[in-house]
Amino acid sequence: MSELTILFLRTSPLLCVLVLLSLPFKVISQDAKTEKTILLNLQQQLGNPSSIQSWNSSSSPCNWTGVTCGDDGSVSGLDLGDKNITETIPATVCDLKNLTFLYMNLNYIPGGFPKVLYNCTKLQYLDLSQNFFVGPIPDDIDKLSGLRYIDLGANNFTGSIPPQIANLTGLQTLRLFQNQFNGTFPKEISKLSNLEELELAYNEFVPSSIPVEFGQLKKLRYLWMKQANLIGEIPESLTNLSSLEHLDLAINDLEGKIPDGLFSLKNLTYLYLFQNKLSGEIPQRVETLNLVEIDLGMNQLNGSIPEDFGELKKLQLLSLFDNHLSGEVPPSIGLLPALTTFKVFSNNLSGALPPKMGLYSKLVDFDVAINQFSGQLPENLCAGGVLLGAVAFENNLSGRVPQSLGNCNSLHTIQLYSNSFSGEVPAGVWTASNMIYLMLSDNSFSGGLPSKLSWNLSRLELSNNRFSGPIPPGISSWVNVVDFKASNNLFSGEIPVEITSLPHLSNLLLDGNQFSGQLPSKIISWKSLTSLNLSRNALSGQIPKEIGSLPDLLYLDLSQNHFSGEIPLEFDQLKLIFLNLSSNHLSGKIPDQFDNLAYDNSFLNNSNLCAVNPILNFPNCYAKLRDSKKMPSKTLALILVLTVTIFLVTMIVTLFMVRDFQRKKAKRDLAAWKLTSFQRLDFTEANILASLTENNLIGSGGSGKVYRVAINRAGDYVAVKRILNNEKMDHNLEKEFLAEVQILGTIRHANIVKLLCCISSESSKLLVYEFMENQSLDRWLHGRKRSSSMGTSSVHNSVLDWPTSGDEHTSLAEWAWQQFGQGKPVVDCLDQEIKEPCFFQEMTTVFNLGLICTHSMPSTRPSMKDVLEILRRGSADSNGEKKTGVELDVVPLLGTATSLSATTQHETAI
């Protein structure tokens, strides 16, 4: 045997082992190479989005963004959520044979349900939520037989949910919320014995009852069917859901009683049944000791509040408002250690409030308004130092306001009007640093006005009390007050000139007091004043002519005083809806603007006034002039009489001819307008057309102008958007008008401004909206709603970190202005999830731009051209074209925003 043969025999076993061991690695290497090719093809088919451009042929897929590999090195998962994908899902994705999870949520993927995923045989977790999918869910969806988790929420799927979905027997989570389903949901869902989460909320299903079979879902922990068009009663079978932790059936048409067994589910933590038609008593036996939040508001429940609620040691929110509940609030509720929100307003509750409410928990919201409570307010409502609102109006409460509220700087509002409170208001209440609304009318409070108020106070209502003394000169520091209503008190002395310096004052009501002396002849800053009522006082002297220069004044009442002299000619400049100068000592001629029947009750009991127009039933001014002069002879007297007579006849004839011509012209002009209403209206097109003046202009844009128009004497306004052209409307403006009417005319939603009507002519179109003073959509979206946990990722990342101390009265814009006004760095206001140092400069630019765009004075806001220019510069910056700090500072609008902290404070909307 040769040496070569012997050597081979000796080495061949080792060689064979090495060959065998290398085979799996070669296979794995080949699979990895194949999967890399698949992923790179997938990248191209998805439009090569910038967010996954790190995928390249020079690195391992297991290190790529959004790619997860299993223990064997093969690709097991893709997380492509929020990657700005706009293409349909390609079939290539299922070439990844070991793919078990696919997340493509928060993109812009169009089309129908992607049936190409049926080839992903090992797929267990699928998230396609928050995309643009349309059409029905296919009947053969059960081909995805291995699914444990599917989220199709926040898309545009329609039709019915197919019963075949019940064939996905391993399914643990089924999320179909916030689509456009207009069919039914199947009772067969009850066959999903492993189901733990079922989310069908925010869909317009045909009116349907909750299937009794849903009670078979023994493992169900989370049931979310809010605003799903549910009818009928809550089935008793739901009390068999022993694992249930979260039950939300709010905003439906459910009726009947609340099943007793719901309050026996040991694991139930959150219970939301608000805004239904539930009736009967709240079950009195409560064994769900893990409850954290209970919201049964806006139903038709009666009876008493269960005593057992006082045993819920973990309870944070108890909301029972707007029902027919009666009896007393169990005192034990005041001892709950975790309670933060207590809302029982609009019921028939009576007796004393729990005396220790707030002493053992950090109470945030306390609202017991519109009941029949008696006795005193609990002394320790703000013991935790975080109380935002003490709201108890329209009750039978008495005594003094607790002194502790005067030490509560967290307060945003105190609303105690229409009770029987007495004594002086604690000094700290006037100056609480965060106070916005202080409403104490219709009580028996006494004492005087403070020289200083909270810097942020915008609404002060003190009417129908026993407050006394003068208005202090320090009132000039009330710079953010919008409404000051102090009618029917015992205030006295002169009205100081300092009160005319309040720049944001809109309503000033001081009628029914004991003020005397003359009105200030100088008005410093009343450019926003719309209502001034000083009637039923002892004011004297001449009416200041400066009142005639107030641009927004609509309501003026100076009646029942001792004013003398003539009515200022400057009053002709006013656009008053209501005027009352009766019961004074005025003399002279009534101004021409008011010499008509619209003001026939405005000048009563002023014996020395005269009028040119005999309609007002006042002495004729020219007749008085003639009688007051003695003619040297009968001839001159006759000539003068004839001259005056001819002149008067000529004037009267001319006046009637002019009025007749104007009346006919107005009728012709009015006939050219067509009114189409979408709501019940208490005004006509004539009211609107007559008020489209420059004084009422509040904004303008590329397609027209926007006016604020008063429609009655009660102070109600509408907003009128005028889309016009010098000749006839061009095609684009016509399309804009028709689109806005078609959309807004059919919307009925609490958070969208109502389109009341449209008024159109050949050359102009008017859209008449409900007017919201100093408010915006974000205030109603973020101010009053409490978000429910959806168990899914958020819809979008915000730039600002919305404060957890915000309340129902504070919008995001107001909070941002408060942070800015307090001098806090912009960095502290940014959301932690997106706070990256490399983008601080761009974020600061957007933050400052947001401030100037939400300024309370429209004249200081930038045009959209300026905003676009700033954003383009910021975009160029973020794309790598770095600008220096000096280059960014030269943008004039950002300079304006930066200087605002030293020159003005943000006005808080009412």
Side-chain angles (χ1 to χ4, degrees):
M1 185 177 292
S2 67
E3 292 182 3
L4 182 61
T5 302
I6 297 172
L7 178 63
F8 176 77
L9 291 175
R10 289 178 179 176
T11 58
S12 60
L14 178 61
L15 180 62
C16 291
V17 170
L18 291 174
V19 170
L20 290 174
L21 288 175
S22 67
L23 286 176
F25 290 103
K26 290 182 178 180
V27 172
I28 293 174
S29 176
Q30 184 66 31
D31 287 345
K33 184 176 181 181
T34 301
E35 289 187 333
K36 179 185 292 186
T37 301
I38 293 170
L39 288 172
L40 290 175
N41 288 337
L42 179 63
Q43 180 187 33
Q44 296 301 316
Q45 292 168 347
L46 291 177
N48 197 23
S50 59
S51 53
I52 58 173
Q53 286 190 357
S54 60
W55 294 11
N56 58 74
S57 59
S58 62
S59 60
S60 170
C62 297
N63 297 325
W64 291 355
T65 300
V67 178
T68 300
C69 295
D71 294 337
D72 61 354
S74 64
V75 174
S76 60
L78 289 179
D79 185 353
L80 299 179
D82 198 14
K83 295 293 188 292
N84 202 29
I85 296 173
T86 59
E87 304 294 330
T88 58
I89 299 176
T92 308
V93 71
C94 290
D95 292 340
L96 300 170
K97 299 303 180 182
N98 293 314
L99 191 69
T100 58
F101 73 84
L102 177 62
Y103 299 156
M104 302 194 72
N105 55 302
L106 277 168
N107 283 295
Y108 307 92
I109 303 173
F113 183 88
K115 289 189 175 184
V116 296
L117 297 180
Y118 291 172
N119 295 321
C120 296
T121 56
K122 293 186 179 181
L123 195 62
Q124 297 180 14
Y125 300 90
L126 176 61
D127 190 348
L128 302 179
S129 61
Q130 302 183 61
N131 277 285
F132 290 161
F133 291 110
V134 296
I137 294 179
D139 291 340
D140 57 353
I141 192 174
D142 54 351
K143 289 184 178 180
L144 293 169
S145 57
L147 282 184
R148 297 182 184 178
Y149 175 104
I150 183 169
D151 190 347
L152 304 180
N155 278 286
N156 298 303
F157 289 114
T158 54
S160 298
I161 299 173
Q164 290 82 356
I165 206 165
N167 296 331
L168 302 174
T169 55
L171 205 60
Q172 298 174 346
T173 299
L174 176 58
R175 291 178 174 168
L176 302 174
F177 64 91
Q178 203 172 340
N179 276 279
Q180 297 183 20
F181 293 118
N182 50 9
T184 61
F185 53 89
K187 64 181 180 181
E188 286 82 1
I189 290 176
S190 61
K191 297 179 182 179
L192 296 172
S193 58
N194 292 308
L195 196 64
E196 297 180 5
E197 295 185 23
L198 176 59
E199 302 181 6
L200 303 176
Y202 298 111
N203 281 294
E204 289 295 329
F205 296 113
V206 297
S208 308
S209 58
I210 301 173
V212 175
E213 291 83 356
F214 277 13
Q216 301 172 13
L217 298 170
K218 301 297 183 181
K219 293 184 180 180
L220 194 66
R221 296 184 296 102
Y222 194 101
L223 178 57
W224 188 28
M225 298 185 72
K226 182 178 183 180
Q227 200 168 334
N229 214 5
L230 300 178
I231 60 174
E233 298 187 357
I234 300 174
E236 192 71 32
S237 62
L238 292 191
T239 64
N240 298 325
L241 302 177
S242 56
S243 299
L244 196 62
E245 299 174 4
H246 186 112
L247 177 60
D248 189 346
L249 305 177
I251 316 181
N252 284 293
D253 287 315
L254 296 170
E255 55 189 12
K257 295 184 177 181
I258 299 174
D260 291 344
L262 283 186
F263 284 95
S264 298
L265 296 174
K266 304 296 184 182
N267 294 308
L268 192 61
T269 307
Y270 297 93
L271 177 61
Y272 304 118
L273 302 178
F274 62 88
Q275 202 168 331
N276 279 286
K277 298 176 181 177
L278 299 172
S279 58
E281 295 189 359
I282 301 172
Q284 297 296 303
R285 185 175 180 180
V286 180
E287 298 176 348
T288 50
L289 300 182
N290 286 319
L291 275 169
V292 174
E293 294 191 359
I294 301 175
D295 195 338
L296 309 179
M298 292 183 284
N299 280 288
Q300 300 167 17
L301 300 171
N302 55 38
S304 60
I305 299 175
E307 290 278 351
D308 284 359
F309 278 1
E311 301 299 322
L312 302 176
K313 305 302 181 184
K314 297 181 181 180
L315 192 65
Q316 297 177 9
L317 179 145
L318 180 58
S319 180
L320 306 175
F321 66 89
D322 202 2
N323 278 288
H324 307 303
L325 301 174
S326 58
E328 298 188 5
V329 177
S332 57
I333 289 179
L335 306 178
L336 294 176
L339 191 66
T340 61
T341 300
F342 182 67
K343 295 184 176 182
V344 296
F345 60 88
S346 297
N347 279 287
N348 297 315
L349 297 168
S350 58
L353 291 163
K356 295 186 178 180
M357 179 72 73
L359 183 60
Y360 297 103
S361 68
K362 292 189 175 183
L363 200 62
V364 176
D365 291 306
F366 177 80
D367 195 337
V368 298
I370 316 177
N371 279 288
Q372 300 174 26
F373 290 116
S374 58
Q376 298 184 340
L377 271 181
E379 181 65 36
N380 300 291
L381 290 177
C382 194
V386 292
L387 185 68
L388 297 179
V391 181
F393 59 86
E394 293 188 29
N395 278 288
N396 299 316
L397 298 169
S398 59
R400 294 175 175 267
V401 175
Q403 189 64 37
S404 60
L405 291 184
N407 302 320
C408 187
N409 282 325
S410 61
L411 275 170
H412 285 199
T413 181
I414 294 180
Q415 300 180 28
L416 304 179
Y417 58 89
S418 298
N419 279 285
S420 298
F421 290 108
S422 59
E424 295 191 6
V425 178
V429 167
W430 303 106
T431 57
S433 57
N434 291 298
M435 190 73 73
I436 301 174
Y437 308 115
L438 182 57
M439 303 163 68
L440 306 176
S441 297
D442 300 296
N443 282 284
S444 297
F445 287 115
S446 59
L449 290 175
S451 293
K452 292 186 177 180
L453 287 180
S454 166
W455 71 275
N456 205 30
L457 191 70
S458 67
R459 189 169 186 173
L460 179 60
E461 297 185 0
L462 308 176
S463 297
N464 301 310
N465 279 286
R466 300 187 61 81
F467 290 107
S468 60
I471 296 177
I475 196 173
S476 59
S477 66
W478 301 8
V479 292
N480 284 313
V481 170
V482 175
D483 288 324
F484 180 28
K485 300 179 180 179
S487 306
N488 302 318
N489 279 282
L490 302 173
F491 291 117
S492 59
E494 295 189 354
I495 295 178
V497 68
E498 287 82 2
I499 199 172
T500 70
S501 67
L502 303 183
H504 304 303
L505 190 62
S506 178
N507 297 293
L508 177 60
L509 309 182
L510 299 176
D511 52 299
N513 282 283
Q514 300 174 10
F515 292 111
S516 59
Q518 298 185 4
L519 287 180
S521 59
K522 179 181 180 182
I523 295 179
I524 301 172
S525 177
W526 267 359
K527 301 303 182 184
S528 300
L529 195 67
T530 59
S531 298
L532 176 61
N533 191 342
L534 304 177
S535 64
R536 297 182 292 117
N537 282 285
L539 298 168
S540 59
Q542 292 190 336
I543 298 175
K545 64 180 181 181
E546 286 74 15
I547 292 178
S549 65
L550 300 178
D552 293 334
L553 191 63
L554 298 174
Y555 302 89
L556 176 61
D557 193 342
L558 303 178
S559 63
Q560 299 185 53
N561 280 285
H562 306 303
F563 290 113
S564 59
E566 296 186 351
I567 300 172
L569 295 176
E570 288 76 9
F571 273 31
D572 271 338
Q573 304 173 26
L574 297 174
K575 307 298 181 183
L576 295 175
I577 293 177
F578 177 84
L579 172 65
N580 192 356
L581 303 179
S582 299
S583 300
N584 281 287
H585 307 299
L586 299 173
S587 60
K589 177 176 173 291
I590 294 174
D592 294 340
Q593 180 176 343
F594 309 112
D595 195 357
N596 58 69
L597 284 176
Y599 300 94
D600 58 342
N601 294 318
S602 298
F603 307 101
L604 303 177
N605 300 320
N606 285 281
S607 58
N608 292 320
L609 284 176
C610 65
V612 173
N613 191 338
I615 295 177
L616 288 184
N617 200 27
F618 278 89
N620 188 287
C621 292
Y622 295 107
K624 292 182 66 175
L625 177 63
R626 184 185 65 232
D627 293 341
S628 65
K629 294 184 178 180
K630 294 181 180 180
M631 296 297 111
S633 67
K634 294 180 179 181
T635 302
L636 290 176
L638 181 60
I639 293 174
L640 181 59
V641 169
L642 290 174
T643 302
V644 171
T645 301
I646 294 172
F647 178 74
L648 286 175
V649 170
T650 303
M651 283 192 61
I652 291 172
V653 171
T654 303
L655 179 62
F656 277 105
M657 291 178 64
V658 170
R659 288 191 175 182
D660 184 62
F661 173 80
Q662 291 177 340
R663 191 178 296 110
K664 290 179 179 178
K665 184 178 183 298
K667 288 182 178 179
R668 289 195 302 270
D669 293 343
L670 191 59
W673 292 88
K674 176 184 177 183
L675 184 144
T676 303
S677 65
F678 306 105
Q679 314 283 339
R680 291 187 62 183
L681 306 178
D682 56 357
F683 57 86
T684 66
E685 58 265 52
N687 299 133
I688 300 300
L689 296 172
S691 300
L692 299 183
T693 64
E694 290 298 313
N695 288 337
N696 293 333
L697 183 66
I698 59 174
S700 60
S703 61
K705 299 181 178 181
V706 180
Y707 301 84
R708 182 182 71 168
V709 174
I711 58 174
N712 54 40
R713 296 186 177 184
D716 296 326
Y717 297 90
V718 295
V720 180
K721 178 178 180 181
R722 185 170 192 175
I723 304 174
L724 71 164
N725 193 291
N726 289 334
E727 297 294 332
K728 293 185 179 179
M729 295 185 67
D730 61 47
H731 181 66
N732 290 334
L733 292 181
E734 181 73 14
K735 287 180 62 179
E736 177 183 334
F737 177 81
L738 293 176
E740 194 160 356
V741 169
Q742 180 179 5
I743 295 172
L744 295 181
T746 58
I747 288 178
R748 300 290 187 274
H749 195 285
N751 296 328
I752 299 180
V753 65
K754 292 180 181 177
L755 177 62
L756 302 178
C757 67
C758 66
I759 305 172
S760 59
S761 71
E762 186 176 72
S763 62
S764 186
K765 307 288 186 180
L766 307 179
L767 296 175
V768 183
Y769 297 89
E770 176 184 36
F771 183 77
M772 304 181 73
E773 183 73 28
N774 288 342
Q775 297 192 17
S776 60
L777 181 57
D778 71 307
R779 183 181 187 91
W780 292 101
L781 285 177
H782 300 292
R784 294 183 177 272
K785 289 194 173 181
R786 180 186 65 255
S787 299
S788 298
S789 172
M790 293 167 51
T792 186
S793 59
S794 62
V795 176
H796 64 281
N797 290 326
S798 60
V799 175
L800 296 181
D801 183 13
W802 173 248
T804 57
S805 62
D807 73 317
E808 62 185 352
H809 301 291
T810 305
S811 70
L812 180 58
E814 291 172 346
W815 175 85
W817 272 100
Q818 290 176 7
Q819 303 302 302
F820 188 77
Q822 294 170 2
K824 292 189 177 181
V826 173
V827 174
D828 293 347
C829 301
L830 301 180
D831 193 326
Q832 296 296 329
E833 295 183 5
I834 62 170
K835 187 183 292 186
E836 298 184 19
C838 61
F839 296 121
F840 279 172
Q841 182 168 292
E842 290 83 356
M843 293 177 179
T844 301
T845 299
V846 174
F847 181 88
N848 288 332
L849 183 59
L851 288 178
I852 192 63
C853 285
T854 57
H855 195 272
S856 60
M857 297 181 64
S859 61
T860 66
R861 300 173 188 165
S863 67
M864 288 308 299
K865 178 180 178 182
D866 294 329
V867 173
L868 181 60
E869 176 63 21
I870 294 172
L871 292 178
R872 282 176 173 172
R873 295 187 184 189
S875 176
D877 188 9
S878 63
N879 288 330
E881 301 174 11
K882 280 290 182 182
K883 296 180 183 291
T884 66
V886 174
E887 289 177 308
L888 290 176
D889 285 341
V890 300
V891 181
L893 293 177
L894 297 185
T896 303
T898 305
S899 66
L900 284 176
S901 62
T903 60
T904 186
Q905 296 186 8
H906 181 58
E907 176 182 354
T908 302
I910 299 176

